[in-house]
Amino acid sequence: MATSTVEDYIKHIYLKEQALAEGALVSMGELAVALNVVPGTATTMIKTLAEAELVIYEPRSGVRLSESGEKLALHVLRRHRLVELFLVQTLGMDWSEIHEEAEQLEHVISDRLLERIDAVLGHPTVDPHGDPIPSSEGEVKEQKLVPLTDVTEGTSVVIGRISDQDGDFLQFAEQSGLTPGRSVVLSERDAQSGVLALRTEDGATITIALAAAEKIEVKRSFRVHMIKSNS
């Protein structure tokens, strides 16, 4: 069984790879920052993982997961994201505080308990933040999402994922009603001031900075015909 340190490295390499072109390498500097270690420590660990055939390491270039490494990463992410959903839906914990709890529990929960949690939750496909939950076979059902900043005025969208899992940002998203599954219409874009105006399902208006909107991923629904008042 892999240690918690090995699982952390493998998981973070996988997450970094998702933002890169297929086959691209994760730099050692990026990986060290993600794991909060110095580059030398990361390099030493990566060499060990390469010997275990969990990663493919190219000195002075970077690292990527092997087939067995990706399989392990998806299993760790399945544990993490199912635990997060369980903490929210069953134990009633706030979604802004579950990430750290899941970081600990993902390394100790048994496969038997994990599958029981999956069954109790109804075999969900996404966690509370909208991240896909890998299946027990290692398959990931990805959604076609775009940042809220890419949406044009008058478009109705459904919030699919919050990419920033910082507790303060998650609290802001929840207080603003910008949580996965909620529908909003981008009613106005003010490029000069750097803000977007959103209209919620209940008619409320939310103003959000472009930097924050970049962290909210949505799926387009349809375009709304906007009638601007002359007053």
Side-chain angles (χ1 to χ4, degrees):
M1 180 177 179
T3 66
S4 59
T5 301
V6 168
E7 290 184 342
D8 280 339
Y9 269 80
I10 295 299
K11 179 180 69 175
H12 279 90
I13 294 171
Y14 177 86
L15 293 173
K16 288 292 181 183
E17 283 185 334
Q18 301 314 294
L20 302 174
E22 186 175 354
L25 301 176
V26 177
S27 74
M28 300 309 297
E30 286 182 299
L31 185 59
V33 170
L35 289 158
N36 196 29
V37 299
V38 298
T41 299
T43 300
T44 298
M45 186 62 184
I46 289 303
K47 289 179 179 178
T48 300
L49 296 178
E51 291 174 358
E53 299 184 344
L54 291 172
V55 303
I56 297 168
Y57 173 53
E58 296 183 16
R60 295 178 295 280
S61 295
V63 63
R64 62 182 173 87
L65 295 177
S66 65
E67 185 176 341
S68 58
E70 182 173 334
K71 182 178 179 180
L72 175 58
L74 290 171
H75 186 55
V76 176
L77 283 172
R78 173 173 169 77
R79 281 187 252 147
H80 181 100
R81 292 171 178 173
L82 276 172
V83 166
E84 284 192 327
L85 193 59
F86 179 77
L87 293 176
V88 169
Q89 290 196 1
T90 306
L91 300 187
M93 292 182 65
D94 190 283
W95 77 326
S96 65
E97 61 185 5
I98 58 173
H99 181 70
E100 292 304 318
E101 295 291 342
E103 284 284 296
Q104 303 298 319
L105 292 170
E106 70 185 34
H107 302 301
V108 297
I109 188 171
S110 70
D111 289 345
R112 180 182 179 185
L113 179 55
L114 185 71
E115 296 314 311
R116 178 59 180 161
I117 288 174
D118 183 37
V120 168
L121 294 176
H123 307 291
T125 57
V126 294
D127 73 3
H129 311 107
D131 288 313
I133 298 173
S135 70
S136 57
E137 292 78 29
E139 298 175 348
V140 181
K141 185 179 181 180
E142 297 284 0
Q143 301 185 78
K144 292 184 178 180
L145 304 176
V146 297
L148 187 54
T149 48
D150 288 0
V151 176
T152 56
E153 287 185 36
T155 301
S156 175
V157 297
V158 176
I159 297 171
R161 176 175 178 261
I162 307 298
S163 64
D164 187 342
Q165 297 190 6
D166 174 75
D168 290 339
F169 187 77
L170 290 175
Q171 287 181 352
F172 159 76
E174 184 166 28
Q175 291 167 2
S176 302
L178 301 175
T179 54
R182 297 291 297 273
S183 297
V184 295
V185 175
L186 198 160
S187 55
E188 187 176 353
R189 179 192 300 270
D190 189 334
Q192 187 172 3
S193 61
V195 298
L196 300 178
L198 308 173
R199 189 175 71 243
T200 64
E201 294 170 297
D202 58 8
T205 297
I206 300 170
T207 301
I208 181 172
L210 290 175
E214 187 74 30
K215 303 173 183 179
I216 300 174
E217 298 179 4
V218 301
K219 46 189 173 182
R220 293 184 177 90
S221 180
F222 53 85
R223 185 170 178 80
V224 178
H225 179 59
M226 304 292 291
I227 301 177
K228 294 188 176 181
S229 172
N230 294 322
S231 57

